[in-house]
Amino acid sequence: MSRPGRWTGPARAATVRHDARRPEDTMSETPHRYTAQMAQQIELAWQDRWQEEGTFHAPNPAGPWAEPEKVGDREKLLVLDMFPYPSGAGLHVGHPLGYIATDVFARYHRMTGKNVLHCLGYDAFGLPAEQYAVQTGQHPRKTTEANMVVMKRQLRRLGLGHDDRRTIATIDPDYYTWTQWIFLQIFNSWYDADAVRPDGGVGRARPIDELVQEFASGARPVPGGADWVSLSPLERSAVLDDFRLAYTSEAPVNWAPGLGTVLSNEEVTNDGRSERGNYPVFKTNLRQWMMRITAYADRLADDLDRVDWPDKVKAMQRNWIGRSQGARVAFPVVGHDASIEVFTTRPDTLFGATFMVLAPEHPLVESLAPAGGWPEGTNAAWTAGEPSPQAAVAAYRLAASRKSEIERQTEGKDKTGVFTGAFATNPVNGQQVPVFVADYVLMGYGTGAIMAVPAQDERDWDFAAKYELPVVRTVQPSEGHPEDQAFTGEGAAINSSNDEVSLDGMAVAEAKATIIDWLSAKGLGEGTVSYKLRDWLFSRQRYWGEPFPIVFDEDGVAHAVPDSMLPVELPDVPDYSPKTFDPDDSSSQPEPPLGRVQEWVDVELDLGDGRGVRKYRRETNTMPNWAGSCWYYLRYLDPANHDAFVDPANEAYWMGPQAAPVAGAPEGAKDPGGVDLYIGGVEHAVLHLLYARFWHKVLHDLGHVSSEEPFRKYFSQGYIQAPAYRDHRGQPVEASEVVEVPDHSGGESSYTWQGQPVTREFGKIGKSLKNVVSPDEMCEQYGADTLRVYEMSMGPLELSKPWETRAVVGAQRFLQRLWRNVVDEETGEVRVVDAPLDDATARALHRTIDAVSRDFPTLGFNTAIARLIELNNALTKLDAVPREAAEKLVVMVAPLAPHIAEELWSRLGHEETVTYAPFPVADPALLVEDTVTCVVQVKGKVRDRLEVPADISEDALREQVLALPKIQAATEGGIRTVIVRAPKLVNVVPL
RNA sequence: GCGCAAGUGGCGGAAUCGGCAGACGCGCCAGGUUUAGGUCCUGGUGCCUUCGGGCGUGCGGGUUCAAGUCCCGCCUUGCGCACCA
């Protein structure tokens, strides 16, 4: 290796010159020390150079930016962070944690020769952006764009190696053109549950035109039995709405008057409030846009097996989808045409069903209750003191409708209900069982009705106990099971036979299968699957979102705006604020702000459908902010493409399925493809991550993308918490103004704010706890490289950990020592020597290379930094640092602290950026030691140590150890055994 | 209540297979540089100790020559779900 011995700065290098130093440094004896000011100059200079040279531009194989010669046969790597919302408050030090981690990972892989795509855009539509605008009295476009400028500056200051050409924002018409286009793809599709997919699975999205053709030709019967040709456009539209993947329906939706908009189930907390703003949410019947995500429930659940995600997040998604196997069984109502359909996961316990329960909202409830008084012999406890079943049911339903979700919950396990006065027939044994209404059965799950089996279900047991209902055990409880409790475990079926079928003696699984077969054969029921997942409510009564590319004709039929007319631009309006109401006014109705813009709403268009120019009304709802984040990662791949949302070749290159499936995938699983590494917070586990998977699968079915999953590997990073302080009233006080008072007797420090004592806690960084630490102030006080190294050294990425500003100096000292190993602090000269490495240094260097190149790909940045510090400290102790060691160390530090690495790399005589310098490779010969310290134990406790050759034989080692004086002394009474694990350990066990 | 994850120095955290517990950093202690403070540098730093050693990875048991690591029971904290039939 031949390098200039002295730095001769290349003309274009960003290298800081002597004359750039600050006045106070000229007074000092170490004017060339790596200080915060020095770091600042270096960092800004290199950020400029990166931008000028397009250092992080990733070549595409196809599309407008095609550079196939630069792509070559390099392996690709797509590394992304979750789409950030450009907050008006700016970033705090918790935000960049993930961004820095992906950057280190991306930079490391560039040094291994991969074609790495890493970039970041802005999720700029949506409620928070709009609320911020309303608060500040400015148009959301203005505030959002201003926020993006601030955030871009903050991110740039951190030295993130993003391909800046690919920075997109959801609010750009060029972007939301394609969001609307994808919406129309979904609108114009239906889910054919019987269609065979190329991968052999069953069920996929197909164009709606194909369905229309099948209806028209008679190949597929029109639901309801009508003849397609004779249906009116409105009737056809209604039929298709039952098939489309995006459709309007009149259904109970989540209405938050305080927010002025409806919300999806995923945006409502389980205590019935809005996730954003914590407003009460009410169920109201409204015509709204829905997405048929339920069609994909199975694939969304199954395909989790093929992605590399945290188990916790997979569990959360599976839980949300809530798939359970069971059976539907019909119970005919006595003296009535109707049957009550129930869903049960325990059809094996049918013989133990002793009563039934309907949800208060169940449509049959009203007609079930017989006119007149209570049936003969009705238990007084069942009547709630009402004179008749109809009165009792009406009173109960009214009471239930007035209860909020919270009330239903806080009432806990105390079951309430009333008898409807009706009986139904248990199909397996002909027994007539009473039918109740009770709010422990939920309308939103299964069929909204259950068969109650108190012997095998705790909830039913509680209800039966309270209302004195019979209990029939149909599963033999295990020995010692209390008599007064339901038995939900495994056991042999008992009391379960009729003239045709007997389950007695069967285990649960066999009994289920047997009874389902019998029910199916008799036409009384069938095996089925039930899901918790509901269709996705997709409209919002908000201004700041993508307009729907939909117009309604005078009959009220929805029509897609033709692709050629996209985008449907969001009109600029003077009044963009949503109409909000008293948060508790459940009778209020949403009013979309776009509805106020008459001249935008009423249009005359030729949709190109042969009907010529006609009058239409535009859809005035807007899309939820999830729309933009459902596909942004695809746009990164080809942001300048005007012919397609992404060129298929670019999608296949960056995201296509890989040869080998992820670790842990089932045997023989096909790889789904997707982003190679996706890092973001776990708060999106069932929102963004589920919605994006759904859209991706639709796009896959329609042939637009080759990958089946958007995010092949997802990693959820922990949060950074910061100390927060409260005064005696419990009010947070400004954390930066708190003074620590050390306890001199060795106890814990106490804290004061403006002289008064305050208590400390650790919490989420933010305005509400007044504990914001901004990356800007860290960059100013220490430099971006120091901030990066500190954040990456705090601990494992997945853990939440406390921020400690005073500990940041440790990272700075490391970089300062690194600098000093290369640059003379007094003269600024490069001080490395062109001398060969001594043996110890060579070994230390290669051990570090080995460890670090195992840590970087597994996101073990904290341990990588520890090893780099060790090596750096070892070099510090040498009289002079050999060039080879310095250069390799600089290259290894570059992913973590890229600016100082670039500067040192340049001063060491390299003209090219260090970004693509090859990562050092460890020499295996230098990883094996000649001699090893052997630990000598007596009964498992360390008693001595011994330097031995690494290749020593077991016998020789045993002999040497037994000859040691300490061992001799310890084994005077004789030896029971000697365990030898050559060369590292010998354990002697005396008698 | 159910499910999952985690409990290691004063603090953040290290520790492929069961094989030297506490890497690295903060803090703290001592020394050096400095008029002084800070910065910076060097060294030390689990606890106890009669200086032999003893005790130590939430608690109690077990397996093993050997346990932070494996098994059983419990406690605590965090997260998720929460009448889902």
Side-chain angles (χ1 to χ4, degrees), chain A residues 608-630:
Chain A
D609 53 3
R611 302 203 299 176
V613 176
R614 294 165 66 96
K615 283 188 178 171
Y616 296 98
R617 274 183 61 81
R618 290 191 189 277
E619 168 63 63
T620 56
N621 286 304
T622 53
M623 299 190 201
N625 59 325
W626 309 110
S629 61
C630 266

Side-chain angles (χ1 to χ4, degrees), chain A residues 359-430:
Chain A
E361 303 83 8
H362 196 286
L364 268 178
V365 167
E366 209 141 359
S367 60
L368 274 184
W374 292 104
E376 193 87 13
T378 297
N379 185 328
W382 298 1
T383 66
E386 296 286 342
S388 70
Q390 287 187 350
V393 166
Y396 190 81
R397 294 185 82 188
L398 184 66
S401 72
R402 285 189 176 153
K403 275 195 225 171
S404 67
E405 295 283 330
I406 309 172
E407 285 165 334
R408 271 200 181 192
Q409 227 176 65
T410 46
E411 284 173 14
K413 308 283 183 219
D414 186 27
K415 307 267 180 303
T416 61
V418 292
F419 180 40
T420 62
F423 290 85
T425 308
N426 185 335
V428 293
N429 58 14

Side-chain angles (χ1 to χ4, degrees), chain A residues 56-61 65 74-81 102 105-107 109-110 114-120 161-167 632-639 650 653-655 675-677 916:
Chain A
F56 308 112
H57 290 183
N60 266 3
W65 292 351
R74 282 192 294 166
E75 240 187 281
K76 63 87 190 183
L77 188 78
L78 177 57
V79 186
L80 295 179
D81 301 277
T102 48
F105 186 79
R107 284 175 180 271
H109 281 288
R110 284 192 192 103
K114 292 197 173 110
N115 182 16
V116 175
L117 174 45
H118 186 212
C119 60
L120 197 74
H162 294 151
D163 183 341
D164 51 4
R165 300 172 302 168
R166 300 178 190 252
T167 299
Y632 72 101
Y633 53 91
L634 289 164
R635 193 60 180 169
Y636 282 157
L637 310 181
D638 210 0
N650 286 333
Y653 175 71
W654 290 111
M655 293 189 61
V675 176
D676 294 291
L677 177 67
Y916 296 97

Side-chain angles (χ1 to χ4, degrees), chain A residues 457-471:
Chain A
D457 185 285
E458 283 167 20
R459 297 154 299 182
D460 297 344
W461 181 285
D462 291 345
F463 193 84
K466 181 164 173 184
Y467 294 100
E468 299 164 16
L469 288 153
V471 175

Side-chain angles (χ1 to χ4, degrees), chain A residues 190-207 210 214 220 296 299 700-703 708:
Chain A
W190 63 293
Y191 199 79
D192 182 350
D194 302 317
V196 177
R197 296 193 297 271
D199 65 15
V202 177
R204 69 177 165 89
R206 293 173 58 193
E210 296 178 13
E214 290 183 21
R220 180 181 292 266
Y296 283 82
R299 285 163 71 188
H700 174 82
D701 283 355
L702 297 177
E708 291 181 66

Side-chain angles (χ1 to χ4, degrees), chain A residues 320-391:
Chain A
W320 187 259
I321 295 165
R323 174 167 59 184
S324 49
Q325 295 281 343
R328 268 175 202 269
V329 187
F331 283 59
V333 181
V334 176
H336 210 280
D337 298 340
S339 278
I340 300 172
E341 278 253 309
V342 300
F343 173 76
T344 175
T345 57
R346 291 297 301 274
D348 59 304
T349 64
L350 251 170
F351 288 90
T354 54
F355 60 102
M356 303 191 75
V357 184
L358 306 188
E361 303 83 8
H362 196 286
L364 268 178
V365 167
E366 209 141 359
S367 60
L368 274 184
W374 292 104
E376 193 87 13
T378 297
N379 185 328
W382 298 1
T383 66
E386 296 286 342
S388 70
Q390 287 187 350

Side-chain angles (χ1 to χ4, degrees), chain A residues 29-276:
Chain A
E29 299 197 0
T30 53
H32 300 277
R33 171 167 291 172
Y34 181 76
T35 59
Q37 291 79 12
M38 175 83 89
Q40 181 120 309
Q41 291 164 36
I42 292 171
E43 288 165 4
L44 297 178
W46 279 100
Q47 285 155 13
D48 286 344
R49 181 166 159 192
W50 292 334
Q51 182 163 26
E52 279 164 33
E53 299 189 352
T55 303
F56 308 112
H57 290 183
N60 266 3
W65 292 351
E67 296 174 289
E69 70 293 346
K70 286 196 191 169
V71 173
D73 57 0
R74 282 192 294 166
E75 240 187 281
K76 63 87 190 183
L77 188 78
L78 177 57
V79 186
L80 295 179
D81 301 277
M82 276 189 188
F83 212 23
Y85 150 68
S87 153
L91 296 179
H92 60 67
V93 290
H95 289 117
L97 183 71
Y99 307 154
I100 296 170
T102 48
D103 191 48
V104 176
F105 186 79
R107 284 175 180 271
Y108 164 74
H109 281 288
R110 284 192 192 103
M111 297 181 137
T112 66
K114 292 197 173 110
N115 182 16
V116 175
L117 174 45
H118 186 212
C119 60
L120 197 74
Y122 298 93
D123 188 14
F125 269 134
L127 238 149
E130 188 183 283
Q131 281 174 327
Y132 181 76
V134 171
Q135 269 167 31
T136 57
Q138 289 170 293
H139 193 279
R141 180 167 294 279
K142 197 172 167 195
T143 54
T144 310
E145 284 175 352
N147 292 349
M148 278 163 38
V149 169
V150 171
M151 191 160 162
K152 265 180 201 162
R153 178 182 55 70
Q154 288 187 304
L155 292 173
R156 181 188 145 99
R157 187 65 192 83
L158 296 170
L160 302 170
H162 294 151
D163 183 341
D164 51 4
R165 300 172 302 168
R166 300 178 190 252
T167 299
I168 53 178
T170 50
I171 58 174
D172 292 344
D174 276 351
Y175 180 84
Y176 70 70
T177 294
W178 294 107
T179 309
Q180 292 174 340
W181 181 85
I182 294 172
F183 174 85
L184 290 179
Q185 292 291 310
I186 300 171
F187 173 71
N188 284 320
S189 310
W190 63 293
Y191 199 79
D192 182 350
D194 302 317
V196 177
R197 296 193 297 271
D199 65 15
V202 177
R204 69 177 165 89
R206 293 173 58 193
I208 196 87
D209 290 346
E210 296 178 13
L211 180 68
V212 171
Q213 266 165 29
E214 290 183 21
F215 282 151
S217 72
R220 180 181 292 266
V222 178
D227 177 13
W228 185 255
V229 183
S230 67
L231 292 179
S232 73
L234 190 59
E235 287 166 328
R236 289 182 185 179
S237 151
V239 169
L240 293 182
D241 267 346
D242 285 343
F243 287 87
R244 290 183 190 276
L245 289 180
Y247 62 98
T248 57
S249 84
E250 176 97 17
V253 296
N254 308 302
W255 163 232
L259 273 180
T261 186
V262 296
L263 297 167
S264 74
N265 290 347
E266 290 79 8
E267 291 168 307
V268 179
T269 62
N270 55 31
D271 54 354
R273 301 182 80 93
S274 63
E275 189 156 67
R276 187 160 291 278

